[in-house]
Coordinates of all heavy atoms in Angstrom, one line a residue:
Chain C
N104 N 65.2 -7.8 61.8 CA 64.5 -9.1 61.5 C 65.3 -9.8 60.4 O 65.3 -9.3 59.2 CB 63.1 -8.8 61.1 CG 62.5 -9.9 60.5 OD1 62.9 -11.0 60.5 ND2 61.3 -9.6 60.0
H106 N 65.0 -13.0 59.6 CA 64.4 -14.2 59.2 C 64.2 -14.2 57.7 O 64.6 -15.1 56.9 CB 63.1 -14.3 59.9 CG 62.3 -15.5 59.6 ND1 61.6 -15.7 58.4 CD2 61.9 -16.5 60.4 CE1 60.9 -16.8 58.5 NE2 61.2 -17.5 59.6
S107 N 63.6 -13.1 57.2 CA 63.2 -13.1 55.8 C 64.4 -13.1 54.8 O 64.5 -13.8 53.8 CB 62.4 -11.9 55.4 OG 61.3 -11.9 56.3
K110 N 65.7 -16.6 54.8 CA 64.8 -17.5 54.0 C 65.1 -17.3 52.5 O 65.0 -18.2 51.8 CB 63.5 -17.5 54.5 CG 63.3 -17.9 55.9 CD 63.4 -19.4 56.1 CE 63.2 -19.9 57.5 NZ 63.6 -21.3 57.6
A111 N 65.0 -16.1 52.3 CA 65.0 -15.6 50.8 C 66.4 -16.1 50.1 O 66.4 -16.6 49.1 CB 64.9 -14.1 50.6
L114 N 66.4 -19.8 49.7 CA 65.6 -20.1 48.5 C 66.3 -20.0 47.3 O 66.4 -20.9 46.4 CB 64.3 -19.4 48.6 CG 63.4 -19.6 47.4 CD1 62.5 -20.9 47.8 CD2 62.3 -18.5 47.4
Q142 N 68.2 -2.8 60.3 CA 66.9 -2.3 60.5 C 66.9 -1.5 61.7 O 67.6 -1.6 62.7 CB 65.9 -3.3 60.6 CG 65.3 -3.7 59.3 CD 64.2 -4.8 59.5 OE1 64.0 -5.3 60.6 NE2 63.5 -5.1 58.4
G143 N 66.0 -0.4 61.8 CA 65.8 0.4 62.9 C 66.7 1.6 62.9 O 67.1 2.1 61.9
D147 N 71.7 3.1 66.8 CA 71.6 1.9 67.6 C 72.4 0.9 66.7 O 73.1 0.0 67.0 CB 70.2 1.3 67.7 CG 69.4 2.2 68.6 OD1 70.0 2.9 69.5 OD2 68.2 2.2 68.7
Q204 N 61.2 17.7 54.7 CA 59.7 17.9 54.8 C 59.2 18.9 53.7 O 58.1 18.7 53.1 CB 59.3 18.5 56.2 CG 57.9 18.2 56.5 CD 57.5 18.6 57.9 OE1 58.4 19.2 58.7 NE2 56.3 18.2 58.4
K214 N 50.4 16.1 50.3 CA 51.5 15.8 51.2 C 52.0 14.4 51.0 O 51.1 13.5 50.9 CB 50.9 16.0 52.5 CG 51.9 15.6 53.7 CD 51.3 15.9 55.1 CE 50.2 15.1 55.5 NZ 49.7 15.2 56.9
K216 N 53.9 11.1 52.5 CA 54.1 10.7 53.8 C 55.6 10.1 54.0 O 56.2 9.7 53.1 CB 53.2 9.5 54.2 CG 51.8 9.7 54.0 CD 51.3 10.7 55.0 CE 49.7 10.8 54.9 NZ 48.8 9.7 55.3
V217 N 56.1 10.3 55.2 CA 57.4 9.8 55.6 C 57.2 8.9 56.8 O 56.6 9.5 57.8 CB 58.5 11.0 55.8 CG1 59.7 10.4 56.3 CG2 58.7 11.8 54.5
P218 N 57.6 7.7 56.9 CA 58.6 7.0 56.0 C 57.9 6.8 54.6 O 56.7 6.7 54.5 CB 58.7 5.6 56.6 CG 57.5 5.6 57.5 CD 57.2 6.9 58.1
H219 N 58.8 6.8 53.6 CA 58.5 6.4 52.2 C 58.3 4.8 52.4 O 59.2 4.0 52.5 CB 59.8 6.6 51.3 CG 59.7 6.1 50.0 ND1 60.8 5.5 49.5 CD2 58.7 6.1 49.1 CE1 60.5 5.2 48.1 NE2 59.2 5.5 47.9
M220 N 57.1 4.4 52.3 CA 56.6 3.0 52.5 C 55.9 2.4 51.4 O 54.8 3.1 51.1 CB 55.9 2.9 54.0 CG 55.6 1.5 54.4 SD 54.5 1.4 55.8 CE 55.7 2.0 57.1
G221 N 56.3 1.3 50.9 CA 55.5 0.7 49.9 C 56.4 0.4 48.6 O 57.6 0.4 48.7
W222 N 55.7 0.1 47.5 CA 56.4 -0.4 46.2 C 56.6 0.8 45.4 O 55.8 1.4 44.9 CB 55.5 -1.4 45.6 CG 55.2 -2.6 46.4 CD1 54.4 -2.7 47.4 CD2 56.0 -3.9 46.4 NE1 54.5 -4.0 48.0 CE2 55.5 -4.7 47.3 CE3 56.9 -4.4 45.4 CZ2 55.7 -6.0 47.5 CZ3 57.3 -5.7 45.7 CH2 56.8 -6.4 46.7
N223 N 57.9 1.0 45.1 CA 58.2 2.1 44.1 C 59.2 1.6 43.0 O 59.9 0.6 43.2 CB 58.9 3.3 44.9 CG 58.7 4.6 44.2 OD1 58.3 4.7 43.0 ND2 58.8 5.7 44.9
E224 N 59.2 2.4 42.0 CA 60.0 2.0 40.7 C 61.5 2.3 40.9 O 61.9 3.1 41.5 CB 59.4 2.8 39.7 CG 58.0 2.5 39.2 CD 57.3 3.4 38.3 OE1 57.4 4.7 38.7 OE2 56.7 3.1 37.4
R242 N 59.1 -2.6 40.4 CA 58.9 -2.1 41.7 C 59.4 -2.9 42.8 O 59.4 -4.2 42.7 CB 57.5 -1.9 42.0 CG 56.8 -0.7 41.2 CD 55.3 -0.6 41.5 NE 54.7 0.3 40.6 CZ 54.5 1.6 40.9 NH1 55.1 2.1 41.9 NH2 53.9 2.4 40.1
Y244 N 60.2 -3.0 47.3 CA 59.4 -2.6 48.6 C 60.4 -1.8 49.3 O 61.5 -2.2 49.7 CB 59.0 -3.8 49.4 CG 58.2 -3.3 50.6 CD1 56.9 -2.9 50.5 CD2 58.8 -3.2 51.8 CE1 56.1 -2.6 51.6 CE2 58.0 -2.9 53.0 CZ 56.7 -2.6 52.9 OH 56.0 -2.0 53.9
V246 N 61.0 0.8 52.8 CA 60.4 1.4 54.1 C 61.5 2.1 54.7 O 62.4 1.5 55.3 CB 59.6 0.5 55.0 CG1 60.4 -0.7 55.3 CG2 59.3 1.2 56.3
Y264 N 60.9 10.1 44.9 CA 59.9 10.2 46.0 C 60.0 11.6 46.5 O 60.6 11.7 47.6 CB 59.9 9.2 47.1 CG 58.7 9.3 48.0 CD1 57.4 9.0 47.5 CD2 59.0 9.7 49.4 CE1 56.5 8.8 48.5 CE2 57.9 9.7 50.3 CZ 56.6 9.1 49.8 OH 55.5 9.4 50.7
E285 N 64.5 -8.9 49.9 CA 64.0 -10.1 50.5 C 62.3 -9.8 50.7 O 61.8 -10.8 51.1 CB 64.7 -10.3 51.8 CG 64.1 -9.4 53.0 CD 64.9 -8.1 53.1 OE1 65.5 -7.7 52.1 OE2 64.8 -7.4 54.1
K286 N 61.8 -8.6 50.4 CA 60.5 -8.4 50.6 C 59.9 -8.0 49.2 O 58.7 -7.4 49.2 CB 60.2 -7.4 51.8 CG 60.4 -7.9 53.1 CD 59.3 -8.8 53.4 CE 59.8 -9.8 54.5 NZ 58.6 -10.8 54.7
S287 N 60.6 -8.1 48.2 CA 60.2 -7.5 46.9 C 59.9 -8.6 45.9 O 60.2 -8.3 44.7 CB 61.4 -6.6 46.4 OG 61.4 -5.5 47.2
H288 N 59.4 -9.7 46.3 CA 58.8 -10.6 45.5 C 59.7 -11.2 44.4 O 61.0 -11.3 44.6 CB 57.5 -9.9 44.8 CG 56.3 -11.0 44.4 ND1 56.1 -11.2 43.1 CD2 55.6 -11.7 45.3 CE1 55.0 -12.2 43.2 NE2 54.7 -12.5 44.4
L292 N 63.8 -11.4 44.6 CA 64.5 -12.7 44.7 C 65.6 -12.8 43.4 O 66.6 -13.4 43.7 CB 63.5 -13.8 44.6 CG 62.5 -13.9 45.8 CD1 61.5 -14.9 45.5 CD2 63.4 -14.2 47.1
Chain D
M254 N 56.4 9.1 38.2 CA 55.5 8.1 38.5 C 55.6 7.9 40.1 O 56.8 7.5 40.5 CB 55.8 6.8 37.8 CG 55.7 6.8 36.3 SD 54.0 6.7 35.9 CE 53.8 5.1 35.5
P255 N 54.6 8.0 40.8 CA 54.8 8.0 42.2 C 54.8 6.7 42.9 O 54.6 5.7 42.2 CB 53.6 8.8 42.7 CG 52.6 8.8 41.7 CD 53.3 8.5 40.4
L256 N 55.0 6.5 44.1 CA 54.8 5.3 45.0 C 53.4 4.8 44.7 O 52.4 5.4 44.7 CB 54.9 5.9 46.4 CG 54.9 4.7 47.6 CD1 56.0 3.8 47.5 CD2 54.9 5.5 48.8
A257 N 53.4 3.4 44.6 CA 52.1 2.8 44.4 C 51.3 2.8 45.7 O 51.8 2.5 46.8 CB 52.4 1.3 44.0
D294 N 49.5 -13.7 47.3 CA 50.9 -13.3 46.7 C 50.8 -13.4 45.2 O 51.2 -12.5 44.5 CB 51.8 -14.2 47.5 CG 53.3 -13.9 47.0 OD1 53.5 -12.5 46.9 OD2 54.0 -14.8 46.7
D299 N 50.2 -6.6 47.8 CA 51.4 -5.8 48.1 C 51.9 -6.1 49.6 O 53.0 -6.0 49.7 CB 51.0 -4.3 48.1 CG 50.7 -3.9 46.7 OD1 51.4 -4.2 45.9 OD2 49.5 -3.3 46.4
E300 N 51.0 -6.5 50.4 CA 51.4 -7.0 51.8 C 50.3 -7.9 52.2 O 49.3 -8.0 51.7 CB 51.4 -5.8 52.7 CG 52.4 -4.7 52.3 CD 52.5 -3.6 53.4 OE1 52.1 -3.9 54.6 OE2 53.0 -2.5 53.1
D321 N 56.1 -17.9 60.8 CA 57.4 -18.6 60.4 C 57.1 -19.4 59.0 O 57.9 -19.2 58.1 CB 57.9 -19.5 61.4 CG 59.1 -20.2 61.0 OD1 60.1 -19.6 60.9 OD2 59.1 -21.5 60.7
A324 N 56.4 -16.7 56.1 CA 57.5 -15.9 55.8 C 58.6 -16.7 55.1 O 59.5 -16.1 54.6 CB 58.0 -15.2 57.0
S325 N 58.6 -18.0 55.3 CA 59.6 -19.0 54.5 C 59.3 -19.0 53.0 O 60.0 -19.5 52.3 CB 59.7 -20.2 55.2 OG 60.0 -20.0 56.6
F328 N 57.4 -13.8 49.9 CA 58.3 -12.7 50.2 C 57.7 -11.3 49.8 O 58.3 -10.6 48.9 CB 59.6 -13.1 49.2 CG 60.4 -14.3 49.8 CD1 60.0 -15.5 49.2 CD2 61.0 -14.2 51.0 CE1 60.7 -16.7 49.8 CE2 61.6 -15.3 51.4 CZ 61.4 -16.6 50.8
I329 N 56.8 -11.0 50.5 CA 56.2 -9.6 50.7 C 56.0 -9.3 52.2 O 56.1 -10.2 53.0 CB 54.8 -9.5 49.8 CG1 53.9 -10.5 50.3 CG2 55.1 -9.8 48.4 CD1 52.5 -10.4 49.7
P330 N 55.9 -8.0 52.5 CA 55.8 -7.7 53.8 C 54.6 -8.3 54.6 O 53.5 -8.3 54.0 CB 55.7 -6.1 53.8 CG 56.3 -5.8 52.5 CD 55.8 -6.8 51.5
L347 N 58.5 -10.5 65.4 CA 59.5 -10.2 64.4 C 60.4 -11.2 64.2 O 60.8 -11.5 63.0 CB 60.2 -8.8 64.8 CG 59.4 -7.6 64.9 CD1 60.2 -6.4 65.4 CD2 58.7 -7.2 63.6
A349 N 59.9 -14.3 64.3 CA 59.2 -15.3 63.6 C 59.1 -15.0 62.2 O 58.7 -16.0 61.3 CB 57.8 -15.6 64.2
A351 N 57.6 -11.8 61.0 CA 56.9 -10.6 60.6 C 57.7 -9.5 60.4 O 58.8 -9.3 60.9 CB 55.9 -10.3 61.9
D352 N 57.2 -8.6 59.5 CA 57.9 -7.3 59.2 C 57.4 -6.2 60.1 O 58.2 -5.3 60.4 CB 57.8 -6.9 57.8 CG 58.4 -8.1 56.9 OD1 59.7 -8.1 56.9 OD2 57.6 -8.8 56.3
K353 N 56.1 -6.2 60.4 CA 55.5 -5.2 61.2 C 54.6 -5.9 62.1 O 54.1 -7.0 61.9 CB 54.6 -4.2 60.4 CG 55.3 -3.7 59.1 CD 54.4 -2.7 58.4 CE 54.7 -2.7 56.8 NZ 53.8 -1.9 56.1
D372 N 61.4 2.3 69.8 CA 62.9 2.5 69.9 C 63.7 1.2 69.8 O 64.8 1.3 69.1 CB 63.2 3.0 71.4 CG 62.7 4.5 71.6 OD1 62.5 5.2 70.6 OD2 62.6 4.8 72.8
Q377 N 59.5 1.5 61.6 CA 58.9 0.8 60.4 C 58.3 -0.5 60.8 O 57.5 -1.0 60.0 CB 60.1 0.6 59.5 CG 60.9 -0.7 59.6 CD 61.8 -0.8 60.8 OE1 62.3 0.4 61.5 NE2 62.2 -1.9 61.4
E424 N 53.1 3.6 61.1 CA 52.0 3.6 60.2 C 50.7 3.3 61.1 O 50.7 3.0 62.2 CB 52.1 2.2 59.3 CG 51.2 2.1 58.1 CD 51.5 0.9 57.2 OE1 52.1 -0.1 57.9 OE2 51.5 1.1 56.0
S448 N 44.3 10.7 57.9 CA 45.2 10.7 57.0 C 45.8 12.0 56.6 O 47.2 12.1 56.7 CB 44.9 10.1 55.6 OG 46.0 9.9 54.8
D449 N 45.1 13.1 56.7 CA 45.7 14.4 56.5 C 46.3 15.0 57.9 O 47.1 15.9 57.7 CB 44.4 15.4 56.1 CG 44.1 15.1 54.7 OD1 44.7 14.2 54.1 OD2 43.1 15.6 54.2
V451 N 48.2 13.3 60.0 CA 49.6 12.7 60.3 C 50.5 12.6 59.1 O 50.0 12.7 58.0 CB 49.4 11.2 60.8 CG1 48.7 11.2 62.2 CG2 48.7 10.3 59.8
D452 N 51.7 12.4 59.4 CA 52.8 12.4 58.3 C 53.1 11.0 57.8 O 53.8 10.7 56.9 CB 54.1 13.0 58.7 CG 53.7 14.6 58.9 OD1 53.1 15.1 58.1 OD2 54.2 15.1 59.9
I453 N 52.6 9.9 58.7 CA 52.9 8.5 58.4 C 51.7 7.9 57.6 O 50.6 8.4 57.6 CB 53.1 7.7 59.7 CG1 51.9 7.9 60.7 CG2 54.4 8.2 60.4 CD1 52.1 7.2 62.1
D477 N 46.7 5.7 52.1 CA 48.0 5.2 51.5 C 47.9 3.8 51.1 O 48.7 3.3 50.3 CB 49.2 5.5 52.4 CG 49.2 7.0 52.8 OD1 49.8 7.7 52.0 OD2 48.9 7.4 53.8
E505 N 47.9 4.9 41.0 CA 49.3 4.3 40.8 C 49.2 2.9 41.6 O 49.0 2.8 42.8 CB 50.4 5.1 41.2 CG 51.8 4.6 40.9 CD 52.0 4.8 39.4 OE1 51.4 5.8 38.9 OE2 52.9 4.3 38.8
R507 N 50.9 -1.3 41.7 CA 51.9 -2.3 41.3 C 51.2 -3.4 40.7 O 50.5 -4.2 41.3 CB 52.7 -2.8 42.5 CG 53.5 -4.0 42.3 CD 54.2 -4.4 43.5 NE 54.7 -5.8 43.5 CZ 54.1 -6.8 44.2 NH1 53.0 -6.6 44.9 NH2 54.5 -8.0 44.1

Side-chain angles (χ1 to χ4, degrees):
Chain C
N104 169 11
H106 181 287
S107 298
K110 293 293 179 186
L114 182 77
Q142 272 181 351
D147 291 342
Q204 200 171 15
K214 174 175 70 175
K216 305 293 182 73
V217 176
H219 171 225
M220 185 187 288
W222 298 78
N223 209 341
E224 292 164 312
R242 290 181 186 272
Y244 185 80
V246 50
Y264 192 67
E285 77 281 12
K286 286 286 154 186
S287 295
H288 210 249
L292 294 177
Chain D
M254 298 282 268
L256 181 67
D294 179 45
D299 296 307
E300 299 185 20
D321 179 65
S325 299
F328 295 98
I329 56 175
L347 294 177
D352 299 286
K353 313 181 205 180
D372 283 347
Q377 87 290 335
E424 193 170 35
S448 190
D449 288 355
V451 294
D452 297 318
I453 54 179
D477 300 282
E505 193 74 25
R507 162 182 163 259

